[in-house]
Amino acid sequence: MRLGIYTDPHYSSQAVTCGVRYNSRSLEKIKAAYRYFERMHCDLAVCLGDLIDKESDRALQTENLRKVAGVIRASTVPTVCLMGNHDAFAFTADGFYRILGADLRPSDRVADGRRLVFLDACYFRNGVRYQPGDTDWTDTYCPFEAELRKTVASSDENIYVFVHQNLDPAAEKRHRIANADGINRILSGCGKVKAVYQGHYHPGCRSVWNGIRYVTFPAVCESDDAFFVEEI
Ligand SMILES: [Fe+2]
Ligand SMILES: [Fe+2]
């Protein structure tokens, strides 16, 4: 199975934010990503979140997400999009996928003998879901350990995990999911997980722990060729 992966476009009308995020250029970069994925005959594209960035005008946020959706939907490569904390700052999950299209909402799937597991960590460590206007990129939590334990126990397939925020033990603590250690114990304990794919930490990072590859992809908004093909 061939995956096209990209993350953190942070698309907005701003030319540059935080000194390094070239927000307004991201739409063209997403188009370039899909041209590459089509040329490479990817079976599925995964966007790991932070598709958009905040605008002072809420209507503009909606328009920006519609433009991103237009690019994604124009491709022949099917896509799923995880929500990042910046998406959650602008939209509820239902509002986000109403604009993108329900078919872009990730749900676990089995294909070609591989199980793809999508985790949502857009929650505060107290278990409360991020709300529009109320998020914290350093306080992130995934409340689905029980479901994950069941999924990995019942799976006959090799497992690949996708999540916006970071499970990688090597990632800086403030980028890591508060219960990352517990989730990693579930992932490493089952012996079936081959890789964990993440965004959120914009420089990117690669490491291996307990036989699992942790790949954090660099952000689209901060580099020119931040789109990747993974054979799994
Ligand atoms: Fe980001
Ligand atoms: Fe993020």
Side-chain angles (χ1 to χ4, degrees), residues 7-10 21 49-50 85-86 164 199-202 219 221-222:
T7 191
D8 294 84
H10 286 252
R21 298 178 184 172
D50 282 355
N85 49 300
H86 284 262
H164 175 69
H200 192 56
Y201 177 61
H202 287 193
C221 64
E222 294 190 24

Side-chain angles (χ1 to χ4, degrees), residues 125 136-140 166 171-177 200-201:
R125 72 185 67 219
D136 181 348
W137 68 272
T138 65
D139 183 357
T140 177
N166 300 104
E172 269 182 47
K173 193 163 184 274
R174 57 194 183 148
H175 289 88
R176 291 186 77 218
I177 296 165
H200 192 56
Y201 177 61

Side-chain angles (χ1 to χ4, degrees), residues 74-90:
S75 175
T76 54
V77 180
T79 296
V80 290
C81 293
L82 280 73
M83 278 186 93
N85 49 300
H86 284 262
D87 305 314
F89 188 82

Side-chain angles (χ1 to χ4, degrees), residues 208-219:
V208 178
W209 297 87
N210 295 323
I212 300 173
R213 283 194 309 126
Y214 290 82
V215 183
T216 305
F217 293 96

Side-chain angles (χ1 to χ4, degrees), residues 55-64 66:
E55 300 275 6
S56 48
D57 177 359
R58 276 191 61 81
L60 196 48
Q61 291 176 166
T62 300
E63 193 184 317
N64 293 341
R66 281 211 179 99

Side-chain angles (χ1 to χ4, degrees), residues 167-173 176 205-207 209:
L167 289 172
D168 184 350
E172 269 182 47
K173 193 163 184 274
R176 291 186 77 218
C205 178
R206 285 175 186 258
S207 63
W209 297 87

